[in-house]
Amino acid sequence: MKSSSLNTQDVNNAGKESPIIDPYDYQNGINVAFLGNSILYFNDTPRFLFNLSNKKIRHQNSCLRGGTTLTELYTLGNGMKRHGFATDNALMKSGDYDVGSPTVQELLQSNNDKWDVVVMNEHTQGPARQSTRAEFQSTLLEQYAPLISTNNPTATVIFVETAAYRLQGINNSQDLGTTEQFQQSIREGIQSYIQVLHDNTSISARMAPVGTAFLHVHNDNHELWEKLFDPWDNFHPSPTGTFLQGCVLHCTMFGAPPPTFPGIKEEIAALWKDARMMHPKKKGDDRVSLPNVSEVEYLW
C-alpha cells in the first residue's frame, strides 16, 4: 500500500544522528565540495543542491569524472569538459567553462576555499564488493584523509550511499543479487569507510542514505521508483532521482528538509535553471522529464 509521503528526514533520522551543521553556524551559508562521478553530475547535483538549499550553501565546487572510482579520480582528475559540462550554462564571462576544480588535490588544498562538508560518491559497485571496498579504504587513508585533515580540519565527510541499479545484473553486477541484497552490500561498504576514518583519523564522517531512500520508494511506490532512474541505462539518476538525492543530502547536512517547498512546476524547474548538464540526449530524444508536484510532495 502506498503511503502519502516518503519523508526523507525520517530516512536520515533512522541513524539517530544530529545534523552536521548547527543552525547558528549556517546563517551565512556553508561551503561544500563534491568528489565523484556521473551519479553526481547527471542533472548537476552540485548546482541543484545549491539552489535547493536556498542560501544555506554559500559556495560549492567539485572534481567529477564519469565512470570512475574515487581511487581513479584521485589520479586522473576532472573529466567534466569531456563528459558534459561544456554547455551554455557552464560558460563563464572569461570564455572558459565552469567544469569544477581540475584535480582532487587542488580542490581540497585551495587557499580560497575552506570546506565545511566534503561529499564523496564512490562507483556504485565499489562498496558492494570486499576487494574494491578494501582498495578504497587504503586510498581513503593514504591519499584523501591527509588532504582533508590538513587543509580542512573541521570538515565533515559525507559518503553518498548510491542506489542499487533498477535492472538486476546489468553492468556486470550479476553477483550482487537482488535490489535489496545489492543495496545492503553498498550500505555495509559505506559504513566500513566511515569506520576506517573513525578508527584512524580525527575526521568526522557519515552517510547520506540515498540508496536507502530509493529502496523505501521501491517498496512503497514501485512505479515512482522506476522513474528515479535514467530510462535508457537504468542506473543513473533521472531528474526525479536527483531531486530525491538532493533532499537526502540536505537532510544529512542540516537535519531538516530543504527550506522552501517547490509547490508549482515553475518552482521545480527553477531548481535546475543553471544546471550545466541535464539528462543526456539519447536516441534522438532530448526531452527531460522533471518531477511533477505530486512526486515532489511524496519525495520531500
Side-chain angles (χ1 to χ4, degrees):
M1 181 177 179
K2 288 191 276 189
S3 65
S4 60
S5 176
L6 172 64
N7 197 334
T8 49
Q9 185 174 1
D10 285 348
V11 173
N12 280 269
N13 289 345
K16 309 295 185 185
E17 293 181 300
S18 59
I20 291 172
I21 308 298
D22 187 280
Y24 293 104
D25 293 335
Y26 63 66
Q27 290 179 356
N28 295 320
I30 66 169
N31 294 333
V32 181
F34 293 87
L35 295 162
N37 55 41
S38 50
I39 300 299
L40 290 177
Y41 76 65
F42 261 51
N43 314 307
D44 203 344
T45 289
R47 286 192 177 183
F48 169 80
L49 186 58
F50 178 89
N51 294 332
L52 188 69
S53 77
N54 195 18
K55 301 181 181 178
K56 285 186 179 181
I57 296 175
R58 177 175 63 247
H59 174 63
Q60 63 79 21
N61 200 1
S62 60
C63 183
L64 306 173
R65 187 182 188 92
T68 57
T69 67
L70 285 166
T71 298
E72 293 166 336
L73 180 69
Y74 189 92
T75 302
L76 298 173
N78 192 310
M80 290 316 303
K81 189 168 184 179
R82 180 166 62 92
H83 287 150
F85 277 4
T87 60
D88 289 345
N89 276 350
L91 191 62
M92 300 183 291
K93 291 181 180 179
S94 65
D96 295 323
Y97 291 102
D98 175 14
V99 297
S101 183
T103 66
V104 170
Q105 295 87 335
E106 187 166 325
L107 180 68
L108 295 179
Q109 290 178 318
S110 172
N111 292 323
N112 297 323
D113 300 316
K114 294 300 180 185
W115 303 111
D116 299 294
V117 172
V118 178
V119 175
M120 301 183 75
N121 150 230
E122 175 64 312
H123 188 283
T124 299
Q125 296 182 36
R129 293 192 176 90
Q130 290 291 343
S131 59
T132 46
R133 188 183 298 179
E135 177 186 4
F136 179 62
Q137 288 170 357
S138 297
T139 301
L140 183 61
L141 287 180
E142 295 169 10
Q143 298 177 320
Y144 282 95
L147 285 177
I148 294 169
S149 58
T150 300
N151 299 286
N152 306 276
T154 63
T156 295
V157 173
I158 295 179
F159 292 105
V160 178
E161 177 210 7
T162 53
Y165 304 148
R166 188 176 79 83
L167 295 183
Q168 185 175 328
I170 63 171
N171 298 339
N172 299 311
S173 65
Q174 296 90 336
D175 60 312
L176 297 175
T178 65
T179 299
E180 292 83 357
Q181 291 168 335
F182 191 177
Q183 197 62 60
Q184 179 62 27
S185 296
I186 295 170
R187 188 175 182 85
E188 290 172 357
I190 297 297
Q191 289 169 334
S192 79
Y193 302 155
I194 295 170
Q195 192 65 46
V196 161
L197 287 180
H198 179 269
D199 292 346
N200 296 279
T201 76
S202 60
I203 297 171
S204 174
R206 65 175 57 182
M207 175 171 62
V210 174
T212 297
F214 273 56
L215 192 59
H216 275 264
V217 181
H218 171 275
N219 295 335
D220 185 64
N221 188 337
H222 199 271
E223 183 178 355
L224 180 57
W225 173 73
E226 292 186 336
K227 192 179 175 183
L228 298 177
F229 295 90
D230 180 295
W232 289 288
D233 65 34
N234 298 296
F235 68 94
H236 283 112
S238 67
T240 306
T242 296
F243 181 87
L244 177 54
Q245 178 167 262
C247 287
V248 173
L249 279 166
H250 189 283
C251 287
T252 305
M253 291 179 194
F254 301 107
T260 305
F261 177 78
I264 59 175
K265 64 179 183 180
E266 290 80 8
E267 292 172 344
I268 295 169
L271 295 170
W272 283 283
K273 64 181 185 295
D274 56 354
R276 290 163 290 186
M277 191 191 87
M278 291 297 291
H279 195 83
K281 297 180 180 181
K282 301 277 184 72
K283 299 179 181 179
D285 188 343
D286 62 356
R287 292 172 295 177
V288 176
S289 177
L290 299 181
N292 61 40
V293 174
S294 64
E295 291 163 347
V296 163
E297 185 175 10
Y298 175 87
L299 296 170
W300 192 252

